[in-house]
Amino acid sequence: MTEVLLRLPVKSILRFRAVCRAWAATLSSSDFCALHMARVSSSAQPNLLLVAPTTAACDATAVYSCSAASPPCATNLMLTLDGLKGDFVDGIAAQCRGLILLHDAVAPAYYVVNAATRAVTRLPSCDCECEDELDSSAGLGFDARAKEYKVMRLLNKPNDPGVSCEVYVLGGKHGDRWRPAAGRIPSSFSVTAHCAILVAGQRNRPPVLANGSLHWLIIDDSCRNIDLAASIITYSVTEETFGWVQSLPPCGTGTLEVHLVELDGCLCMVRDLRYGSQDCWNALEIWKLQDYATGVWSFDTRIDLSVNCGGISLVEPKVIRVLGATGDGRSVKKIIMATSDHIVLAYDSMSKNVETIFSVADTEICYPSGPIAIRICLFKETLAPVHRTQEEIFLSSPLAKATKEVLLRLPAKSVVQFKRVSKQWRRFIEDKSFIHSYSAHKRMEKRTKIMMVGKGSGRRKFFRFAPLEKWRSESANKDTWLDAKVVCSKPCHGLNLLITAEVNCLYNPCTGYCRTNSLSSSPSGGLILPDHAFAIGNKNVGLGFNPLNQEHVAVIMLYESKNFKSRQYSLACSVWHCRPGSGFQEHLVPPLPVNSMPPAYVDGVLYWMSDPLLGPSREYAIVSYDIGLEEFYVISCPPDINVANWSSRSTWNLFVVELGEKLCVVLADLKEDELVIWKLEYYGWEAAYVVCLKASPDYSLLSNVVMPLAVDPKDGRILLSTGRKMGFYDPVNETVEELYDADEILRTNKNTGVVSQGTQCQEPAMPFVPMIYEESLVSYPRISKDKFLR
């Protein structure tokens, strides 16, 4: 029976564990797992694993498998990892006895995955407060003496001039934590180890496991002028000690396109002769390390890349990596290679032929093009358990599930306070899956939430917030009234941007999280500045979200000059990356001038309406900025709007808004006193709403700029704002139910004679500003001052 079971795939063995307790014990025993692994290792047929994003938003990762025995387009979805950004996973190292190590560079976080059993564990985070700024490189190995898997990482800690080495043992006796390696890094290797981390990260060269040791190759432009103690650093997984290989193959390193790989149990170096060699051959050259002590290398194989492989050119891909080799000693050895185009090829060492065994272009997998990391590795099925961390066990316990259901129903401010209960609660609340669940649970309420924005107190508290239901109690205190003009963005993935002439503030109004930049509006210099509630001098700022790296960005447009007679203008554009430690991206060039109305954000893209008074075109058009691609585009307005007939004397104008997660164009017809709204569907523009304001003189377009902010999904009412007033428009009765009136606050305060101590008699332009918000826990981790300045 054992001989039969050993020939089954892992998926079937897992099902047979449910037959009875005796079968479960046998099939789970370490002896059976070792026998099954030995049989799988003798197979000459290569199996591949591919790590790819599952959606365009790149917020989940899928792990696919394919076999050389199957057609090149045949793939099998093994598992999906939510919260792991598939396009930001580092280059995948070779598997270790069926397990692979993934690194999410955005989180950052390490995952150990057994794709055959669908088991995944996320390793505990570092205790350092600035973990997201750490530079590290890690590898997975197997300790044959202790019979346990180890993850070892090199890392640079803040305020530590040396390089640290930490080990995490899966299910080991040392508990659920990273511990210092038994053998420390020699002080003479500190600079060398630092370069190893740098090269591994920048060149996508994870350490290679061979002969029971992890190997880091140190060859890079950034390290050429540094006196290094070795060319390859080694780390023994069993002894936890460091070693080195000081010499390189006698061919030298005329090219920087070299990498390490394990072939037939030996450490090998692969040179790409397309780059840097004197003859520029279209070939790969493989050298084998014969002796660690003497550093003797011997030439092994040369692979000709000029051959035609089924119409696929092997000369064009920017990167070609050798993944490994297959063969059981009796069959012909084949060397498996992968390109940056995610094509996998097999080189027959006997016939010298190259054949394609997999191409992502022949599958339905959506993978971005370009010089990205190679996220393919050879794969062997294994029954090895992936031990869960204590945190994962806690999160899956009945108590944790009950706690989660309670916390989901609390306001965000209360949830943030519960972080102080313990470190476990803090990790639970800061877990990205919980933050996503919290936002999703709050969105189920499907109602528009409004916050009143007033002046804050203290050096860092620029603003204070009060729900709409409580603003009347705040209105009597003039110390909370605004003393400067403020424009508030709509919520974007849980955060709002509050813009003044001097500062831009990124806020989570529910938790108090705040981040600022001081890119202020420049002096007018004779510019004719727009004077309505949604304009801030000569500055136009929009808040968006980059779905690729999961961070907020603010696109800031600043007019330096305008000449309406010559139609000449000067418009500076920059991008503020809101994650701490990131900076500004400047010198962007919009294709058209934009008007003074705020942009609309929809699904990774910011949209502005152009200004037909400036530039070469007298017609309206929509300017879009794709945040992920960092590209500007021009989109046509709805065809029903005759943009060609517009002039400065026209009684209508256009601007863009977001309603119901759709891009909308609003035509403000001053003559008819109504707003006509189109929305962009996948098949084109269609008429959506008409807002008639003749019965609401306070919202007349002749004296106000009226902006639609949201549509109530229950009754279809449209939330309107003039900046000074806010109310719901009823499309049936064509009336506005007022929610907020700044003029009423000013009149009431003046009549009651309430004057706060130390205030001037002159009333401010606006006591409060209404703002739509989302209940969320979104924030960015803070970093130390030293890290930020560096």
Side-chain angles (χ1 to χ4, degrees), residues 175-188:
D176 185 23
R177 64 182 180 87
W178 293 88
R179 61 169 175 83
R184 302 300 177 91
I185 300 177
S187 58
S188 59

Side-chain angles (χ1 to χ4, degrees), residues 125-137:
S125 57
C126 180
D127 293 333
C128 177
E129 295 180 356
C130 306
E131 185 194 4
D132 61 323
E133 297 297 317
L134 292 176
D135 297 323
S136 66
S137 176

Side-chain angles (χ1 to χ4, degrees), residues 243-258:
W244 58 89
V245 179
Q246 292 186 338
S247 64
L248 293 172
C251 61
T253 55
T255 172
L256 292 177
E257 290 303 323
V258 296

Side-chain angles (χ1 to χ4, degrees), residues 17-86:
R17 286 180 179 178
V19 172
C20 62
R21 292 183 178 180
W23 279 45
T26 300
L27 299 181
S28 302
S29 65
S30 57
D31 291 339
F32 182 85
C33 293
L35 289 172
H36 186 272
M37 184 175 297
R39 179 165 185 83
V40 171
S41 299
S42 65
S43 174
Q45 202 65 260
N47 293 316
L48 301 170
L49 277 187
L50 169 68
V51 177
T54 59
T55 62
C58 199
D59 54 0
T61 295
V63 178
Y64 300 88
S65 69
C66 61
S67 173
S70 304
C73 61
T75 58
N76 178 32
L77 177 62
M78 303 293 285
L79 72 156
T80 301
L81 303 173
D82 294 330
L84 178 63
K85 290 79 180 175

Side-chain angles (χ1 to χ4, degrees), residues 670 673 693-694 696-706 722:
L670 280 63
D673 208 9
L693 300 172
K694 293 181 179 179
S696 304
D698 289 341
Y699 292 81
S700 172
L701 298 180
L702 295 175
S703 55
N704 301 287
V705 173
V706 181
T722 67

Side-chain angles (χ1 to χ4, degrees), residues 48 305 309-310 312-314 317 320-321 323-324 334-339 343-348 354-358:
L48 301 170
L305 301 178
C309 181
I312 298 176
S313 173
L314 301 183
I320 298 179
R321 294 280 169 84
L323 302 181
K334 292 187 177 181
I335 297 176
I336 308 302
M337 304 175 294
T339 73
I343 298 173
V344 182
L345 309 114
Y347 171 77
D348 192 317
V354 179
E355 62 174 335
T356 301
I357 59 177
F358 174 78

